[in-house]
Amino acid sequence: MSTSDQPSGDLTHVALFPSAGMGHLVPFLRLAAALLRHHCKLTLITSHPAVSSAESQLISRFVSAFPQITELKFHIVSLDPLVANSDDPFFLQFEAIRRSVHLLTSPLSALSPPLSALVCDVSLISSALVLSATLKIPNYVLFTSSAIMFSLFAYYPFVKMSDPSGDLIHIPAIGSIPKTSLPPPLLVDNSIFNKIFTQDGRRIKELNGVLINAMDAMEGDTVAALNSGKVLDGLPPVVPIGPLLPCEFENPEGKSPIKWLEKLPPRSVVFASFGSRTAASREQIKEIGIGLASSGYKFLWIVKDKVVDKEDKEGLEEVVGEELMEKLEEKGMVLKEWVNQEEILGHRAVGGFVSHCGWNSVMEAALKGVPVLAWPQNGDQMINAGLVAKKGVGMWVEKWGWGHKCVVKGEELGGRIKELMESDVLRARAAELKEEAAKAVAVGGSCDRAIERLIGRWSKGI
Ligand code: UDP
Ligand code: G50
């Protein structure tokens, strides 16, 4: 049988190659689960050592849940932070993995049945293209942020930042992005992120396709523009596969706040959490506590004191302060650990989400119909926050600026939480989006169809 005659399904063997950080790993594993539901054969490339314990633990839960997958463990060559010009452990890992990719040629060539396609992280494009060319297989990217962020990634190499004509970046057929919303590490000359983003952005056209955790109800127009050739000529197909569904294996061990939520009335709790890699300053932590306590609502707050979980060792009392902790315990629940965010967002007691707007969090809020108070902290989060506000599923207080640079006062935060929780307009719009998301993920819906089409392409070697 020639490759083009292969039916989709069992014979299609795909390698998934995530990079560092839960925000990148989580969508890869959700994609993996979707591909397994469609009977794909999978090899998951895992980089060792991982940056965070959350990543190692999630991979081990995933591999136990799906023993049919092959885990290809890959030991990366470590990198000197001085050489790499960064102190962000996740960016250092991006670069270390990129520099180690050649070590994968031999183990990937030895796989049986041979690979039909490689799906790599967006931060690995240049290195992965060498790999896929050697293996003579198509190279796809799973873009782990929004479609609007992807349009920026694709168009950025053609932007003249020194252009004095204004404060906006105009992306043809998409619209404008304020320069103040660009990811801060992109504006640091010679930073790892700047180098990867600009180098790899130029090579998007060499990819066979780009998968995005996007859905029509939120970004249908942006995806259509990207596929029309009007943003840039010659882009590969952009395939919206979202919302990616959270899975059972993601459930962490440990204290679950669900029992506490069970006792509370519908939409009476605000959930505040800022993703896997945002540490707040002690000053901001104190103000968040004051804000939550003064909001008039019950709250579930996840505190993070260090960027990398392995270093986050101090107890809640030390980080939040004993006195404030006592006050908070009367009104809400405060945790300093990994929680099952999708389960929390899906609980009927939760009526609002104070979020940094990491893209996975935005999509999870959309899936569960929870309105968002957007408080971008870093990276692509302002661009995502802009979309949340534009779509009417949340509010973004632009004057707060970047969370990692400015401190927001508790009183101000408390007032905005009240506004969020009391907005019928936001709640109604979030409920509409939830319905659209449910249609997309239903059996035979747009997600299923997109995955089937992809497997069909891969089985033909395209
Ligand atoms: N997450 C979780 N529990 C936590 C913190 C985060 O389940 O305690 C999940 C969250 O649901 C999301 C991912 O981790 O799927 C974080 O990705 P996101 O893009 O939202 O933000 P990042 O962590 O990359 O800043
Ligand atoms: C992580 C981060 C900042 C940031 C992003 C992160 C993104 C996502 C898109 O993922 O913007 C992205 C595009 C190109 C690339 C890596 C990631 O090389 O801390 O902005």
Side-chain angles (χ1 to χ4, degrees):
M1 193 193 268
S2 75
T3 30
S4 60
D5 294 325
Q6 283 177 4
S8 68
D10 292 339
L11 295 176
T12 309
H13 184 181
V14 179
L16 298 180
F17 191 4
S19 189
M22 289 297 270
H24 292 248
L25 180 62
V26 164
F28 262 90
L29 299 186
R30 290 177 183 171
L31 170 65
L35 291 171
L36 289 171
R37 286 196 289 276
H38 289 262
H39 311 293
C40 225
K41 177 163 174 53
L42 292 185
T43 290
L44 177 70
I45 302 167
T46 58
S47 306
H48 298 266
V51 180
S52 62
S53 307
E55 289 163 87
S56 322
Q57 286 163 12
L58 185 64
I59 289 169
S60 97
R61 288 201 298 274
F62 174 79
V63 174
S64 313
F66 298 110
Q68 69 270 43
I69 75 131
T70 306
E71 182 187 5
L72 181 59
K73 291 189 181 176
F74 148 62
H75 295 272
I76 55 175
V77 182
S78 66
L79 198 66
D80 180 346
L82 290 175
V83 175
N85 190 24
S86 178
D87 55 5
D88 181 312
F90 294 95
F91 289 157
L92 284 170
Q93 184 87 339
F94 277 9
E95 185 61 17
I97 298 176
R98 281 164 71 87
R99 292 187 189 198
S100 309
V101 166
H102 59 280
L103 300 172
L104 286 166
T105 313
S106 157
L108 286 180
S109 326
L111 290 173
S112 173
L115 287 174
S116 303
L118 172 68
V119 183
C120 69
D121 186 75
V122 57
S123 64
L124 296 172
I125 294 177
S126 311
S127 323
L129 278 168
V130 178
L131 190 61
S132 57
T134 312
L135 297 168
K136 298 192 174 57
I137 53 172
N139 195 336
Y140 285 70
V141 155
L142 171 60
F143 191 75
T144 49
S145 183
S146 49
I148 172 108
M149 185 64 201
F150 178 74
S151 69
L152 176 73
F153 178 43
Y155 193 68
Y156 193 72
F158 308 97
V159 171
K160 287 189 185 57
M161 281 301 281
S162 53
D163 185 348
S165 64
D167 302 330
L168 298 173
I169 291 176
H170 299 285
I171 305 181
I174 300 279
S176 300
I177 295 177
K179 287 184 182 164
T180 48
S181 287
L182 292 177
L186 189 56
L187 304 176
V188 179
D189 279 344
N190 284 324
S191 69
I192 293 185
F193 187 71
N194 176 296
K195 275 197 245 170
I196 299 180
F197 197 89
T198 41
Q199 258 178 34
D200 286 6
R202 294 178 187 280
R203 303 200 62 184
I204 293 172
K205 290 181 184 178
E206 295 170 56
L207 297 167
N208 294 71
V210 178
L211 320 185
I212 306 192
N213 183 15
M215 62 169 158
D216 275 357
M218 219 155 154
E219 295 201 284
D221 46 355
T222 302
V223 171
L226 285 163
N227 284 324
S228 72
K230 288 181 195 151
V231 179
L232 272 182
D233 203 23
L235 283 181
V238 172
V239 186
I241 55 165
L244 284 169
L245 276 182
C247 303
E248 192 62 36
F249 68 84
E250 294 175 43
N251 218 344
E253 283 164 18
K255 205 161 67 180
S256 163
I258 295 297
K259 269 199 190 125
W260 178 74
L261 288 174
E262 284 301 328
K263 298 189 197 107
L264 299 169
R267 291 190 294 274
S268 62
V269 178
V270 61
F271 173 50
S273 184
F274 305 92
S276 63
R277 52 184 291 188
T278 300
S281 66
R282 290 290 167 96
E283 189 185 1
Q284 186 64 80
I285 287 178
K286 186 172 138 252
E287 295 297 335
I288 295 174
I290 295 170
L292 288 167
S294 68
S295 70
Y297 286 87
K298 293 262 181 204
F299 52 83
L300 170 57
W301 174 28
I302 313 302
V303 176
K304 222 174 128 45
D305 185 44
K306 296 278 187 308
V307 170
V308 175
D309 56 9
K310 292 173 189 169
E311 290 157 17
D312 214 339
K313 292 197 176 119
E314 278 188 87
L316 253 182
E317 229 106 280
E318 286 154 280
V319 174
V320 177
E322 244 171 83
E323 205 181 314
L324 182 57
M325 239 351 250
E326 260 172 44
K327 212 193 274 171
L328 291 170
E329 276 166 345
E330 291 162 21
K331 299 184 177 172
M333 187 173 212
V334 188
L335 295 173
K336 192 166 161 290
E337 62 195 65
W338 191 262
V339 292
N340 187 344
Q341 178 165 301
E342 78 97 12
E343 193 182 18
I344 293 167
L345 287 172
H347 198 282
R348 59 170 181 62
V350 172
F353 182 21
V354 183
S355 169
H356 70 313
C357 289
W359 186 241
N360 297 292
S361 294
V362 172
M363 288 301 278
E364 287 159 20
L367 186 65
K368 305 294 181 182
V370 181
V372 170
L373 172 55
W375 187 5
Q377 304 287 314
N378 207 339
D380 51 351
Q381 296 152 19
M382 268 202 194
I383 289 175
N384 301 339
L387 186 66
V388 163
K390 185 173 153 204
K391 288 285 149 186
V393 290
M395 48 196 261
W396 172 28
V397 188
E398 290 186 45
K399 69 167 190 215
W400 286 359
W402 286 110
H404 74 285
K405 284 199 180 138
C406 319
V407 174
V408 174
K409 286 287 178 196
E411 200 184 324
E412 163 83 6
L413 178 62
R416 297 298 183 164
I417 290 174
K418 206 162 175 309
E419 218 179 296
L420 170 80
M421 297 296 280
E422 283 164 18
S423 168
D424 295 336
V425 178
L426 292 180
R427 188 185 307 154
R429 184 67 193 113
E432 275 172 28
L433 204 61
K434 178 182 174 177
E435 259 181 51
E436 294 298 323
K439 279 188 215 157
V441 298
V443 176
S446 59
C447 295
D448 269 353
R449 294 200 304 275
I451 297 285
E452 270 161 27
R453 276 199 299 273
L454 278 168
I455 297 176
R457 285 176 71 100
W458 294 335
S459 70
K460 296 192 193 98
I462 49 178

